[in-house]
Amino acid sequence: MAIEIVADWNQVERYRRDNIRTDIIDFNGYWGGNLTIIVPAEWSVEIEFINGSSSFPHSLMVTRVYAQSEMPVKLTADDAIWGAYTDPPEGIKINERRQLNFVAQQAGSYFLACARQTHLMDGHWIGFEVRDSIEQAVAIIDESKFPQEQPPGRP
């Protein structure tokens, strides 16, 4: 499976609308688990990660699921599942790209998260699930996890 993930996809729209959602940084327009990518177990996953921000470094990491109350201030390489993270974990520069290649080895629920300080706590993550019983990848949008004034995806 190949997918392109862009950090801070909605920044232009955010500034156009008088900087609303300043505390929310997204992946492809999604954040805080309002999108979950689901892949079959043992699939090879290739992610083209792009830092679309004009302001901050960002990273991408497969990590375990965290409850809001237990989220670490920042993630390190040791937090990566299957060694899947962009290097350095603190983030790549503005407009840089990195390939993230891994095998979805074990069924379960995970996060695709930014490891940069406070970004996970601020909602810079989406869901990632590995399932034994499916034959193709899917993406599920959870409409209930969006503020009413902020519809899902790219504006």
Side-chain angles (χ1 to χ4, degrees), residues 36-74:
T36 300
I37 298 169
I38 305 168
V39 301
E42 301 302 320
W43 262 33
S44 292
V45 178
E46 178 183 299
I47 299 173
E48 176 80 9
F49 177 67
I50 302 163
N51 181 3
S53 177
S54 61
S55 307
F56 299 106
H58 292 291
S59 65
L60 187 67
M61 175 182 292
V62 178
T63 191
R64 71 176 182 88
V65 171
Y66 292 93
Q68 184 68 40
S69 62
E70 65 177 12
M71 287 184 177
V73 173
K74 68 179 182 177

Side-chain angles (χ1 to χ4, degrees), residues 6-22:
V6 180
D8 216 1
W9 179 303
N10 278 333
Q11 69 178 342
V12 172
E13 182 68 8
R14 192 168 65 235
Y15 292 123
R16 187 182 73 77
R17 293 187 188 181
D18 297 323
N19 213 16
I20 56 173
R21 274 186 48 204
T22 54

Side-chain angles (χ1 to χ4, degrees), residues 121-133:
M121 298 166 76
D122 290 341
H124 198 189
W125 62 274
I126 56 176
F128 184 75
E129 286 185 25
V130 179
R131 294 189 186 165
D132 288 322
S133 58

Side-chain angles (χ1 to χ4, degrees), residues 76-91:
T76 68
D78 291 339
D79 297 307
I81 305 291
W82 312 309
Y85 67 96
T86 53
D87 192 30
E90 301 80 37

Side-chain angles (χ1 to χ4, degrees), residues 24-25 30-35 122-127 145:
I24 297 173
I25 305 165
Y30 300 92
W31 69 95
N34 54 26
L35 174 72
D122 290 341
H124 198 189
W125 62 274
I126 56 176
K145 292 186 177 181

